[in-house]
């Protein structure tokens, strides 16, 4: 079957302000995010792409704009099912404030039981995203052959949920996966099993350096975090 290139959108204004954007409209790439997006065509220059699929949200569309400009013949499809998790009443709130919510402990350790007030459950988020991948795999293979590669641009929690499914990990373990802004993850799907070829590849190892204020709690940032400073 097809090979899927998963791209998390570039760093956004919400990432740098510590806000859980969710589906809030008008969230754009910040200056660094725009630079990350501009570098994407070069990073993928040797990869033949049959199609590009994007979340409908602005930050994903902006991330793919330089790639589409570099490949004017590349078809773009908007896929609602890979949109950001609907965080409901949590959307637009500061992450530091949300850490004090009792639900955050469930999100971190028992994600399959977590449902956001006024929004959706994390289980429903994963189900819709994986369903979209399965259908796009079949469509791309039918139209372009079993060796075809296509790209999806989505969001941190969506990418992590898709990777967890590919690895056969329970959703409760998906917070062990981390993907930085504009990172590239590659999964090759076959009839019997998927193969994870790349995970969160940015080509930048600055994120491994000690932080000025290191976190020791082991908490995963909902929404995916801002990446290396």
């Amino acid at each position: 079957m097809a090979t899927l290139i998963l791209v998390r959108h570039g760093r956004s204004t919400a990432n740098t302000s510590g806000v859980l954007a969710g589906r809030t409209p008008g969230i754009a790439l910040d200056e660094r995010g725009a630079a990350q997006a501009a570098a994407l065509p070069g990073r993928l220059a040797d990869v033949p792409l049959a199609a590009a699929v994007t979340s409908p949200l602005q930050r994903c569309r902006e991330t793919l704009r330089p790639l589409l400009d570099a490949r004017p013949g590349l078809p773009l499809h908007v896929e609602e099912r890979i949109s950001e998790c609907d965080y409901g009443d949590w959307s637009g709130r500061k992450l530091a404030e949300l850490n004090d919510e009792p639900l955050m402990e469930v999100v971190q350790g028992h994600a399959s039981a977590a449902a956001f007030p006024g929004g959706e459950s994390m289980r429903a988020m994963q189900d819709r995203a994986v369903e979209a991948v399965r259908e796009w795999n079949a469509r791309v293979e039918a139209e372009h052959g079993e060796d075809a590669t296509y790209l999806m641009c989505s969001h941190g929690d969506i990418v992590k949920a898709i990777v967890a499914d590919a690895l056969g990990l329970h959703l409760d373990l998906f917070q062990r996966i981390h993907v930085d802004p504009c990172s590239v993850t590659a999964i090759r799907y076959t009839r019997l099993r998927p193969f994870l070829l790349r995970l969160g590849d940015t080509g930048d190892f600055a994120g491994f350096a000690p932080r000025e204020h290191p976190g020791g709690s082991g908490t995963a940032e909902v929404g995916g975090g801002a990446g290396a400073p």
Side-chain angles (χ1 to χ4, degrees), residues 6-9 22-23 27 52-64 76-85 128 132 136 151-156 158-159:
L6 278 167
V7 177
R8 183 186 168 199
H9 63 78
R23 298 180 179 181
I27 303 297
V53 183
T54 184
S55 156
L57 296 181
Q58 178 180 339
R59 52 197 183 273
C60 288
R61 290 173 176 270
E62 289 181 353
T63 298
L64 288 190
L76 177 67
H77 307 273
V78 177
E79 174 57 75
E80 295 283 347
R81 291 173 295 178
I82 62 167
S83 187
E84 179 64 286
C85 183
R128 62 173 166 82
W136 276 102
L151 179 148
M152 277 187 171
C153 186
S154 189
H155 308 268
I158 297 290
V159 173

Side-chain angles (χ1 to χ4, degrees), residues 33-222:
Q36 291 170 334
L40 192 59
R43 293 168 61 198
L44 297 176
D46 295 330
V47 182
L49 295 173
V53 183
T54 184
S55 156
L57 296 181
Q58 178 180 339
R59 52 197 183 273
C60 288
R61 290 173 176 270
E62 289 181 353
T63 298
L64 288 190
R65 190 169 297 149
L67 180 66
L68 296 170
D69 289 344
R71 303 192 190 198
L74 182 65
L76 177 67
H77 307 273
V78 177
E79 174 57 75
E80 295 283 347
R81 291 173 295 178
I82 62 167
S83 187
E84 179 64 286
C85 183
D86 184 356
Y87 297 115
D89 297 344
W90 279 28
S91 300
R93 293 177 61 186
K94 287 281 189 180
L95 286 162
E97 170 189 320
L98 291 171
N99 284 335
D100 295 328
E101 293 280 354
L103 178 60
M104 182 60 82
E105 187 176 7
V106 182
V107 170
Q108 294 295 323
H110 192 15
S112 63
F116 296 98
E120 70 178 332
S121 69
M122 301 199 87
R123 187 175 63 254
M125 173 198 74
Q126 184 185 45
D127 287 348
R128 62 173 166 82
V130 169
E131 178 185 54
V133 168
R134 300 282 190 236
E135 290 184 12
W136 276 102
N137 285 348
R139 175 174 173 176
V140 169
E141 181 179 1
E143 295 178 2
H144 302 280
E146 63 180 11
D147 293 325
T149 299
Y150 72 106
L151 179 148
M152 277 187 171
C153 186
S154 189
H155 308 268
D157 281 349
I158 297 290
V159 173
K160 289 161 56 178
I162 292 170
V163 170
D165 172 78
L167 292 176
L169 290 177
H170 196 281
L171 183 61
D172 289 349
L173 303 179
F174 100 126
Q175 298 290 22
R176 301 184 183 193
I177 300 167
H178 179 79
V179 289
D180 275 340
C182 221
S183 63
V184 172
T185 294
I187 305 170
R188 178 174 294 137
Y189 287 87
T190 74
R191 185 173 62 87
L192 296 180
R193 65 182 64 85
F195 293 89
L196 181 63
L197 307 179
R198 294 286 189 278
L199 176 61
D201 190 342
T202 63
D204 179 3
F205 297 100
F208 297 160
R211 302 294 179 91
E212 183 178 351
H213 302 290
S217 66
T219 298
E221 191 161 331
V222 180

